[in-house]
Amino acid sequence: MKKAKNMTFSIPAEDAEYSGFTTEGDVSVHAGENVLAVLPKELTVLEAALAARSLIEVAGYLIGGIRKTCGECGERRCADSCPYGPLDEPGKCPYWDAEPEVTLSESARETLGIPEDAKLMLLPDVGEGLVTVADYDHDISDIPPTILTALDLAGVCRGRLDEAVMNDEVIRHD
């Protein structure tokens, strides 16, 4: 991600009016990963509740975009086209355990020259396996558990989700 110096935003007047913003009054900016939320500095309890509803709606749009990209787990299983797990056991998706499959101790990583934050992958063979640095930067294990739960509730296919994260796929959420 590029570093921003100072940014100036211009909000269309109709959007500002709909949101209750005026040219008077201070605003508060809340920054999180990949999001900036601008709120009036002072809100009544009702206004804060309505703002929370709007933020939840935005989260819904984002989850909907992920679901559109990844598809639903049930859709793939019902169509007998799920490449991520055994179709003869529909409740048995290998992606329900989002923990990393391979771990190395800090000293092993140091000895091998593998950075602490590098993803690892296992290339299995009969009776042995090769542990190597993965050719991707992120996978499903990087999704926070609370968000993974929300995606599960939306029916998102975890196998396709993992693939999309590893490939840095871009979604549109509008």
Side-chain angles (χ1 to χ4, degrees):
M1 187 181 296
K2 294 180 183 178
K3 298 265 185 202
K5 292 187 181 189
N6 284 321
M7 299 175 76
T8 303
F9 292 94
S10 178
I11 311 283
E14 59 273 5
D15 289 342
E17 185 178 330
Y18 174 74
S19 297
F21 284 90
T22 64
T23 54
E24 298 174 14
D26 293 329
V27 297
S28 171
V29 177
H30 299 270
E33 288 186 64
N34 299 308
V35 68
L36 290 173
V38 180
L39 298 165
K41 196 145 199 143
E42 293 181 356
L43 294 165
T44 65
V45 172
L46 177 58
E47 290 168 336
L50 295 174
R53 179 188 65 190
S54 295
L55 292 171
I56 290 168
E57 288 172 358
V58 170
Y61 293 132
L62 294 172
I63 289 171
I66 293 169
R67 182 176 169 178
K68 184 175 180 182
T69 297
C70 298
E72 291 184 57
C73 187
E75 286 175 356
R76 291 176 180 271
R77 292 221 175 262
C78 291
D80 289 339
S81 63
C82 182
Y84 305 105
L87 291 172
D88 57 334
E89 297 183 59
K92 202 98 161 150
C93 178
Y95 285 88
W96 283 99
D97 180 9
E99 294 299 316
E101 293 181 15
V102 181
T103 57
L104 287 178
S105 68
E106 187 178 323
S107 62
R109 281 182 180 263
E110 197 172 298
T111 301
L112 297 170
I114 299 174
E116 188 178 329
D117 61 344
K119 293 285 182 184
L120 302 174
M121 54 192 260
L122 174 65
L123 305 173
D125 201 354
V126 178
E128 63 185 12
L130 173 67
V131 175
T132 183
V133 175
D135 57 355
Y136 52 85
D137 294 326
H138 302 285
D139 62 23
I140 195 171
S141 67
D142 293 308
I143 296 177
T146 53
I147 301 305
L148 195 54
T149 298
L151 294 171
D152 289 341
L153 290 171
V156 173
C157 173
R158 279 193 176 201
R160 179 67 184 97
L161 175 64
D162 188 41
E163 186 177 82
V165 172
M166 289 190 302
N167 293 327
D168 289 326
E169 290 185 33
V170 176
I171 65 165
R172 291 197 54 91
H173 55 85
D174 52 356

